[in-house]
Amino acid sequence: MTFSVSWHTLLDELDDLPEGATLITPLSHKRFRVTDVQEQRVIIDFEDRDEKRPLQRDQFETLYRRISDEPGGFELDRLPPDADPYPAVLSLHPRFEIDEDEGVIIEKDGPTTSQLLNAEPASETDERSEPDLDVYADALLLVDALERHDVATLSEMETDALVNLYTLLSDVQRNANDLRQDVADVLLNRLHHDRPVSGPFGSVQRTTRRNRSLKDEDEVLAKLEAEGIDRDRVTGIDRSKVDDALEVTELAESDVYDIEESEYVRKADVDEEVKETRLQGLKEQLAATEGEEAEELRQEIEDLEGRIDELTSFRTGAEVHE
């Protein structure tokens, strides 16, 4: 198939785009719309800035030739800077597809996908789904706690409320970090070189961390001595040997260590059953609709939460034995 035929097929696909259709670039993940389709160029408009940009036919032809020359697909990170709208638009052609995991755009004989985002908003009547994630459940509980208490004046909050707040913050932090790492593992395969990739809330960039660890001690000392460096200049006190020595001498730990102690709060236990009960109440609140049944459900939830508060509220030892 000649480029001229492919070009006019692409123009036909662009003419058939629904109004407001949005595409996304594969490298920088910037959103844009096609605002005009002409014989020699395509005009696009980026969402995040007031900028119209022409995409020239001859540049599409160059990209087309490079894809045709690469059986395994053309590597996207070989594109010139700011050229990733071209493969995004070309992906609308029924024979071209972007594989972000592999970082290529490839020509295929079968069905393909495009960089076109769903232009139709989700129906308000669609059933609401809840992600089966620990961080979601804990975040929901945390939001509820933040709405119930004035955290701007922590010193005035009751101790039990502070304990609950600290526990939830700790759980959200741990579970969010686990999910963050899972997201990072997937993103790593989609980021190319040092090009930032942007989203609505921010941007990320692939970076390289350099870690160092010494080789075998004898090998290092031998190489340094060969360069005229006395081994006494680079050898130090082995902490593990000092600890062993303390065990067989009358020296105190403070005789050989500078010790600085600090106190901190540590989460000791989590009552998962209470959390699950509260969470279920919140989910029912979210799912409740208007009407008499909804009002009865809300009242039942309030009564249940009141009993939970009474059972889990903080009491001193004196109060317990009264």
Side-chain angles (χ1 to χ4, degrees):
M1 182 182 296
T2 66
F3 172 72
S4 179
V5 174
S6 295
W7 173 249
H8 285 93
T9 299
L10 178 60
L11 295 185
D12 291 340
E13 295 292 334
L14 293 172
D15 286 334
D16 291 338
L17 282 178
E19 184 177 356
T22 301
L23 290 92
I24 187 168
T25 60
L27 295 178
S28 61
H29 285 191
K30 294 179 180 178
R31 301 181 179 219
F32 66 92
R33 296 177 179 178
V34 176
T35 58
D36 193 15
V37 179
Q38 303 173 8
E39 179 61 32
Q40 297 299 322
R41 62 181 186 171
V42 176
I43 310 299
I44 65 173
D45 186 4
F46 287 98
E47 283 191 354
D48 60 346
R49 57 183 184 270
D50 187 17
E51 174 191 351
K52 291 186 180 296
R53 179 177 168 191
L55 304 181
Q56 305 295 342
R57 169 180 168 150
D58 59 345
Q59 297 298 318
F60 278 104
E61 183 172 6
T62 299
L63 178 59
Y64 172 86
R65 302 296 180 197
R66 291 184 176 181
I67 297 172
S68 300
D69 293 339
E70 300 287 345
F74 176 73
E75 296 178 359
L76 295 171
D77 56 12
R78 293 170 56 191
L79 289 168
D82 299 327
D84 50 345
Y86 283 90
V89 173
L90 187 57
S91 73
L92 293 172
H93 189 288
R95 293 189 60 178
F96 292 93
E97 181 177 73
I98 289 175
D99 185 338
E100 289 199 35
D101 290 337
E102 296 296 329
V104 299
I105 179 171
I106 191 170
E107 185 174 5
K108 298 176 63 177
D109 292 330
T112 60
T113 60
S114 74
Q115 296 298 104
L116 180 65
L117 299 178
N118 187 2
E120 298 181 1
S123 172
E124 295 182 357
T125 60
D126 288 347
E127 183 178 354
R128 183 177 178 275
S129 61
E130 299 170 353
D132 185 19
L133 296 171
D134 290 337
V135 67
Y136 172 81
D138 287 329
L140 186 59
L141 289 166
L142 178 59
V143 169
D144 176 59
L146 293 175
E147 290 177 345
R148 289 172 175 271
H149 304 288
D150 183 8
V151 295
T153 54
L154 292 175
S155 61
E156 298 179 8
M157 288 178 59
E158 298 292 335
T159 301
D160 64 330
L162 287 171
V163 171
N164 285 341
L165 188 61
Y166 184 89
T167 301
L168 291 172
L169 287 167
S170 178
D171 288 345
V172 168
Q173 180 186 38
R174 183 189 69 252
N175 294 323
N177 191 61
D178 291 343
L179 181 58
R180 182 183 68 89
Q181 187 58 55
D182 292 341
V183 173
D185 292 341
V186 176
L187 271 177
L188 192 61
N189 295 323
R190 301 185 182 183
L191 304 181
H192 305 282
H193 299 305
D194 291 328
R195 298 190 181 189
V197 175
S198 299
F201 299 137
S203 62
V204 295
Q205 185 170 344
R206 183 171 185 159
T207 57
T208 301
R209 182 183 294 111
R210 186 170 179 262
N211 295 320
R212 298 191 310 166
S213 60
L214 283 174
K215 296 182 178 180
D216 179 75
E217 181 178 339
D218 292 336
E219 179 183 354
V220 173
L221 292 175
K223 289 185 177 181
L224 292 175
E225 286 182 329
E227 297 296 324
I229 303 297
D230 188 357
R231 67 170 54 206
D232 292 337
R233 293 179 56 186
V234 294
T235 55
I237 298 176
D238 189 326
R239 179 171 176 172
S240 63
K241 292 181 179 179
V242 171
D243 290 337
D244 291 340
L246 287 177
E247 296 291 334
V248 296
T249 66
E250 295 183 358
L251 290 173
E253 188 180 24
S254 58
D255 290 332
V256 292
Y257 284 109
D258 290 326
I259 301 173
E260 181 180 349
E261 294 184 350
S262 60
E263 297 182 349
Y264 63 96
V265 174
R266 180 180 181 183
K267 184 180 67 176
D269 190 22
V270 178
D271 194 327
E272 297 292 347
E273 184 176 351
V274 172
K275 283 176 57 179
E276 180 60 32
T277 303
R278 172 79 75 179
L279 180 62
Q280 186 59 39
L282 293 172
K283 288 181 177 179
E284 290 172 348
Q285 283 181 309
L286 291 174
T289 57
E290 297 300 326
E292 184 177 348
E293 292 183 359
E295 185 59 35
E296 292 177 358
L297 178 58
R298 292 190 186 97
Q299 186 60 49
E300 291 176 4
I301 292 171
E302 290 177 2
D303 294 339
L304 173 62
E305 291 174 342
R307 291 196 296 272
I308 293 172
D309 285 336
E310 182 179 352
L311 291 171
T312 61
S313 61
F314 178 84
R315 292 186 295 169
T316 65
E319 291 174 330
V320 171
H321 292 90
E322 285 181 354

